[in-house]
Structure formats: structure tokens, C-alpha cells
Amino acid sequence: GITVGGTDAGNYEFNTTATAAATITPKPLAVTAHGVDKVYDGTAAAAATFTEDRLTGDVFTIAYLAAFDTKDVGNDKPVSVTAISLAGTDAGNYAPNTTAATVADITPRPITVAADPQTKVYGDPPPELTYAITAGSLVAGEGFTRGLERAPAELDGLARRRHGDR
């Protein structure tokens, strides 16, 4: 399909096809991470979702590693996303950034604690107070560092009626 035009074109005989070598380089891919909030689980492991500027119709998935700065509860905690890579049919056509930063929340782990019922005879020392977790659970290996406390009222309702409210 090669053609030549102009006033001197008739003075030349030329080929009508040609081949050439070209290099197609991967398109830089701007990968932006978005942190995913989680409930406290005792680890700094994080999850992320991504937006990027792939060409319409191209198919690939994004693999990555992500971690919060600490395992502890907090809002807008820094999340480091590393080892970003692509896999799939069109992955080789792109050169993604390999790291990204974002933020997410770690919210408190919900549990419900109820005091176990106890009985005390007037004048006796108070029984050891115990509790049970009735909803939710603690993270494996974690526990409370403070126990239950009893209100300091020694007299129960019956004793108050007998002795007067003094």
C-alpha cells in the first residue's frame, strides 16, 4: 500500500510493501490504593482495593501485600501497600507502581461481658467475682488485665430494714 506522489514521482520505481521493527513498551500504570476498614483481630494485616488507569477492555488482576502501621485500634491509620504486581491476559502490557500508601480504620472488637451471679452471706467475706463473655470473643492469646470490682455496700436490703439506714 505504499504510494508516492508529486511531480517527480513518475521518475522512480519503488516497492509497494515494507517491514520494520518496532518496540512497544509497557504503559506506566498508576495504581492508587484505598484502605479497607477492619475490626480489631490482633494483627496488622490490611486489605486494599484499587483504582488504576488501564485501557478499556484489558484484563488483569492486582496482587499485593498490605499492613497497618500497628495492630491497635485507631482511625485513619497508615497502611503500606507493597509488592504490587499484575497477573492475567494483559498484565505484560503495563508497568505498575509497586508501592502505594493509604489509610483505614481498625475498630474495637465488640464483646459483651456479664458478671456471674454470686451469693454472699451477711458478714462473710465477699466471694471471688467472675465473669463470662456472652457475645463475641477475645483474640487468641489476649485477655483482660483488670477484674471485676464489687460496690462497697456491706448491708443488703434486708439488713438495712432491720438496722435502719445508717
Side-chain angles (χ1 to χ4, degrees), residues 82-99:
T82 59
I84 296 172
S85 63
L86 307 178
T89 306
D90 299 308
N93 294 329
Y94 294 93
N97 47 293
T98 57
T99 63

Side-chain angles (χ1 to χ4, degrees), residues 1-62:
I2 298 174
T3 61
V4 177
T7 57
D8 295 322
N11 298 325
Y12 296 93
E13 184 177 307
F14 55 89
N15 58 308
T16 58
T17 62
T19 59
T23 301
I24 300 174
T25 58
K27 176 186 186 322
L29 185 71
V31 178
T32 302
H34 309 280
V36 176
D37 296 343
K38 76 172 191 174
V39 173
Y40 176 77
D41 66 2
T43 73
T49 60
F50 300 94
T51 54
E52 29 66 20
D53 58 346
R54 77 177 79 187
L55 297 176
T56 303
D58 278 0
V59 177
F60 59 78
T61 57
I62 299 174

Side-chain angles (χ1 to χ4, degrees), residues 79-162:
V79 175
S80 297
V81 182
T82 59
I84 296 172
S85 63
L86 307 178
T89 306
D90 299 308
N93 294 329
Y94 294 93
N97 47 293
T98 57
T99 63
T102 186
V103 296
D105 298 342
I106 299 178
T107 58
R109 185 179 189 95
I111 60 170
T112 302
V113 176
D116 295 328
Q118 300 289 341
T119 303
K120 176 186 176 309
V121 175
Y122 179 74
D124 286 351
E128 180 180 342
L129 300 177
T130 58
Y131 64 89
I133 296 175
T134 59
S137 64
L138 297 177
V139 169
E142 292 189 2
F144 294 118
T145 58
R146 184 171 178 152
L148 300 176
E149 293 180 10
R150 179 179 175 274
E154 175 62 35
L155 299 174
D156 63 16
L158 177 61
R160 284 189 186 147
R161 282 192 299 274
R162 247 192 253 150

